[in-house]
Amino acid sequence: MNILEKITQNNAAFSKSERKVAEVILANPQTAIHSSIATLAKMSDVSEPTVNRFCRRLDTKGFPDFKLHLAQSLANGTPYVNRHVDELDGPEEYTNKIFESTMASLEVARQSVDVNVVNRVVDLLTQAQKISFFGLGASASVAHDALNKFFRFNVPVVYFEDILMQRMSCMNCSDGDVVVLISHTGRTKSLVEIAQIARSNDATVVGITSGGSPLANECNYVLSLEVPEDTDMYMPMASRIAQLTLIDVLATGFTLRRGNKFRENLKRVKDTLRGSRYEKRGD
Amino acid sequence: MNILEKITQNNAAFSKSERKVAEVILANPQTAIHSSIATLAKMSDVSEPTVNRFCRRLDTKGFPDFKLHLAQSLANGTPYVNRHVDELDGPEEYTNKIFESTMASLEVARQSVDVNVVNRVVDLLTQAQKISFFGLGASASVAHDALNKFFRFNVPVVYFEDILMQRMSCMNCSDGDVVVLISHTGRTKSLVEIAQIARSNDATVVGITSGGSPLANECNYVLSLEVPEDTDMYMPMASRIAQLTLIDVLATGFTLRRGNKFRENLKRVKDTLRGSRYEKRGD
DNA sequence: ACACCAAATGTAGTAAAATTACAACTTTGC
DNA sequence: GCAAAGTTGTAATTTTACTACATTTGGTGT
């Protein structure tokens, strides 16, 4: 795909002069795309047809087509592909790979979100008497984050890490309460039990989990996120980010539903934090 | 920057014929980059110089240069632009906007990360006797997440929400301990104080924060993330995601440094979770 | 309504760029 | 060391883009 990578890989197939062209291009690709075939030939100290042959060897139609491909490779943000980390990767490689595959996963997640469910859940949340966020393991920090967000809305919001506290909290639920349960797999036993407890106490249960899972089956509403997880790392990574982004979506929907006046309230909450901070020069 | 957006925006400045060209290009940009000025002129039903003038109006050197810009816009599809949520947005719009601007922010964050610092911090973490993760407010959940990740590595790892516990923990630090402090603004007073306490007890302090902030100045190493935050919402959103992704990067670097054998250990940790879960059909 | 001016568009010629065909030169194997 | 295959360069050809100028269009003031 990426023509720059292709140049480095095909290196063996190049002839001596073609390699000269490759070097010049790799050394300064940004200049290459703005040069004519003549100037590039001069820079590489070869003839114009050689440059042309070089382009064709890379399966492009000719020099202008090659420049197009090169320009696309140089455009920042190259396609976000889910690239797995390799054992031999250096810091530069794995950093970029992680960022890129996170972005790729978000794109997949975005497409799997059902906006109708989002809308109804936002409805529920705005009307809720009490909102609870529960998750375990890696999803606990997502629930924790949701607490932080919804707490600012001046809504009774609950979050516990302890499963006994979670159970007790759900026991005391009543009509009008919303319980949001977060789990990537949707197979965590105690979370499924909590869903059952909450529902039998007339709470509405929303699951941010994988569709068709045991947990999903116990929920009134399911916000399913299909996120490809790199299982080689044995750690939840992309799923968490997708869950958090979904929390952001819900929080945003919430504030929009509440209107402008409510937004000012948020600003006040933020302003009270000022005392705990060093002022920014110029504030 | 993005020439496609530029075309849509500049629409008013175009003349009648130029608008015809714009339409044809917007309708099928992929074809446009592979066409000559003559064929594009014929498609738009205008003359060749008109196409050329159209290109110049968009501040390009001429038609070939314009094609280059267009190709870059089409690459990757740099479709991920930071789009602010509008009050009138429906669920579909704000959901997509949040996902897209999160992705855009990750791209910005990726470019702002200094991989050399990443490498040194990974070094530190692999050699650390004890690792602490502290953050407050929105960053608390990031620290919480880091705990969950590094806990799997069978390394002494510490995390507290309570600032007094954080302080006491740092008081007991010694040489070889690493304290990771997370804060978007880097202006939270108590976190800055914690950095000072930790350093005066010979711990190495790593900041995941904004470069040049009061917190950054107190750290031994700073992993600075420059993330544009949509301040209209009065909530930290993108910054959190970028921080989490950076934690993933560090965790990944950690496992890579520890080698293959260590990876198997991670698998064992994951396998012990199985008892708490409903089996997946086919496991 | 007409003349006039400015902006917009097109025509035709020109310059530049890329490609092709072919010749000269290397390299490789026997 | 010579032939054959492969590589590179020169020069001609073709394609492409650009410029200068002519024509048309649309609008403004008398």
Side-chain angles (χ1 to χ4, degrees):
Chain A
M1 300 289 113
N2 184 320
I3 200 110
L4 276 171
E5 283 180 33
K6 216 170 178 176
I7 294 173
T8 24
Q9 282 170 10
N10 274 38
N11 194 282
F14 289 144
S15 73
K16 198 164 49 178
S17 308
E18 283 170 348
R19 217 162 293 152
K20 281 201 264 181
V21 180
E23 261 177 57
V24 171
I25 291 171
L26 290 174
N28 210 336
Q30 205 62 27
T31 313
I33 58 171
H34 292 112
S35 310
S36 71
I37 193 166
T39 54
L40 193 62
K42 205 171 281 175
M43 281 199 284
S44 316
D45 196 31
V46 298
S47 70
E48 299 183 24
T50 301
V51 176
N52 197 291
R53 282 187 280 261
F54 168 84
C55 298
R56 289 207 213 281
R57 196 173 293 279
L58 292 157
D59 300 318
T60 62
K61 265 196 88 183
F63 184 69
D65 189 41
F66 167 79
K67 281 209 288 191
L68 245 48
H69 281 265
L70 188 59
Q72 297 209 332
S73 302
L74 290 175
N76 39 2
T78 30
Y80 304 133
V81 190
N82 218 318
R83 300 196 298 156
H84 291 254
V85 175
D86 189 85
E87 292 198 42
L88 301 171
D89 284 341
E92 173 123 30
E93 281 89 40
Y94 67 71
T95 302
N96 283 326
K97 281 185 180 177
I98 298 264
F99 270 94
E100 280 177 23
S101 44
T102 303
M103 288 185 269
S105 303
L106 276 177
E107 177 60 28
V108 174
R110 180 173 76 95
Q111 282 163 8
S112 76
V113 169
D114 185 338
V115 288
N116 294 314
V117 181
V118 168
N119 198 25
R120 288 169 80 176
V121 170
V122 168
D123 254 337
L124 273 173
L125 292 175
T126 48
Q127 285 154 26
Q129 285 185 357
K130 188 180 77 181
I131 306 174
S132 311
F133 291 101
F134 300 135
L136 293 167
S139 301
S141 59
V142 178
H144 188 167
D145 185 80
L147 167 81
N148 184 279
K149 280 228 161 39
F150 281 82
F151 185 78
R152 296 170 186 237
F153 298 161
N154 196 24
V155 176
V157 55
V158 169
Y159 153 77
F160 293 113
E161 284 189 70
D162 186 322
I163 57 163
L164 291 183
M165 296 294 281
Q166 291 176 357
R167 289 175 88 104
M168 286 191 281
S169 177
C170 288
M171 279 295 191
N172 292 326
C173 273
S174 62
D175 195 28
D177 289 356
V178 177
V179 177
V180 181
L181 300 177
I182 304 159
S183 165
H184 175 48
T185 60
R187 299 206 160 72
T188 311
K189 285 179 188 172
S190 38
L191 218 58
V192 176
E193 288 166 22
I194 283 165
Q196 290 162 343
I197 295 169
R199 280 191 67 184
S200 62
N201 284 285
D202 299 323
T204 310
V205 178
V206 176
I208 296 182
T209 185
S210 160
S213 63
L215 175 59
N217 294 333
E218 297 295 333
C219 294
N220 296 103
Y221 296 95
V222 179
L223 283 163
S224 70
L225 284 172
E226 307 304 331
V227 180
E229 197 67 80
D230 184 349
T231 47
D232 288 350
M233 286 284 109
Y234 307 115
M235 284 186 287
M237 309 209 294
S239 56
R240 246 168 58 252
I241 305 276
Q243 288 165 357
L244 280 168
T245 309
L246 194 54
I247 296 288
D248 285 349
V249 169
L250 295 177
T252 304
F254 193 99
T255 59
L256 290 179
R257 195 67 59 88
R258 286 293 178 92
N260 232 332
K261 205 174 167 191
F262 178 68
R263 211 80 54 75
E264 284 168 31
N265 191 52
L266 279 181
K267 191 174 182 322
R268 281 217 320 282
V269 172
K270 198 189 176 192
D271 289 344
T272 58
L273 292 176
R274 194 169 283 182
S276 68
R277 291 195 179 141
Y278 292 108
E279 292 295 313
K280 193 171 185 172
R281 289 160 301 280
D283 265 18
Chain B
M1 299 294 110
N2 185 320
I3 199 107
L4 276 171
E5 282 181 33
K6 215 167 178 178
I7 294 173
T8 24
Q9 283 172 9
N10 275 38
N11 194 281
F14 289 144
S15 72
K16 199 164 49 178
S17 307
E18 283 171 347
R19 217 161 292 152
K20 281 201 264 183
V21 180
E23 262 177 56
V24 171
I25 290 171
L26 289 175
N28 209 336
Q30 205 62 38
T31 313
I33 57 169
H34 292 112
S35 310
S36 70
I37 194 167
T39 53
L40 193 62
K42 205 170 281 174
M43 281 197 286
S44 316
D45 197 32
V46 297
S47 70
E48 298 183 24
T50 301
V51 176
N52 198 293
R53 283 187 279 262
F54 168 85
C55 298
R56 290 208 215 279
R57 195 172 294 280
L58 292 157
D59 300 319
T60 62
K61 265 196 88 182
F63 184 69
D65 189 40
F66 168 77
K67 280 210 289 191
L68 245 48
H69 281 265
L70 188 59
Q72 297 209 333
S73 302
L74 292 174
N76 75 47
T78 352
Y80 306 135
V81 189
N82 219 318
R83 300 194 300 156
H84 290 251
V85 175
D86 189 84
E87 291 198 42
L88 302 170
D89 285 339
E92 174 126 30
E93 282 89 39
Y94 67 71
T95 302
N96 284 326
K97 280 184 181 178
I98 298 265
F99 270 94
E100 280 179 23
S101 42
T102 302
M103 287 185 271
S105 303
L106 276 179
E107 176 60 26
V108 174
R110 180 174 76 95
Q111 282 165 7
S112 76
V113 169
D114 184 339
V115 287
N116 294 314
V117 181
V118 168
N119 198 26
R120 286 168 82 176
V121 170
V122 168
D123 252 337
L124 273 174
L125 292 174
T126 48
Q127 285 156 26
Q129 285 185 357
K130 190 179 77 184
I131 305 175
S132 311
F133 291 100
F134 300 135
L136 293 168
S139 301
S141 59
V142 177
H144 189 169
D145 184 80
L147 169 81
N148 186 278
K149 279 226 161 42
F150 280 82
F151 186 78
R152 295 171 187 236
F153 298 162
N154 196 23
V155 176
V157 55
V158 169
Y159 154 77
F160 293 112
E161 284 189 70
D162 186 321
I163 57 162
L164 291 182
M165 295 295 279
Q166 292 175 357
R167 290 175 87 104
M168 286 192 280
S169 177
C170 287
M171 279 294 191
N172 292 325
C173 273
S174 61
D175 194 29
D177 288 357
V178 178
V179 177
V180 182
L181 300 177
I182 304 159
S183 166
H184 175 48
T185 59
R187 299 206 161 69
T188 311
K189 286 179 187 170
S190 39
L191 219 57
V192 176
E193 287 165 22
I194 283 165
Q196 289 161 341
I197 295 169
R199 280 191 68 184
S200 63
N201 285 285
D202 299 323
T204 310
V205 178
V206 176
I208 297 182
T209 185
S210 160
S213 63
L215 177 57
N217 294 333
E218 296 295 333
C219 294
N220 297 104
Y221 297 94
V222 179
L223 284 163
S224 71
L225 286 172
E226 306 306 330
V227 180
E229 197 68 80
D230 185 349
T231 47
D232 288 351
M233 286 284 110
Y234 307 113
M235 284 186 288
M237 307 210 294
S239 56
R240 248 168 56 252
I241 306 275
Q243 288 164 358
L244 281 167
T245 308
L246 195 54
I247 296 287
D248 285 349
V249 170
L250 294 179
T252 304
F254 193 100
T255 58
L256 289 179
R257 196 65 61 88
R258 285 293 178 92
N260 232 330
K261 205 174 168 189
F262 177 67
R263 212 81 53 75
E264 283 168 32
N265 190 52
L266 278 181
K267 192 175 181 320
R268 281 216 320 280
V269 172
K270 198 189 176 191
D271 289 344
T272 58
L273 292 175
R274 194 169 281 182
S276 68
R277 291 197 176 136
Y278 292 107
E279 293 293 314
K280 192 171 188 173
R281 291 160 299 281
D283 265 18

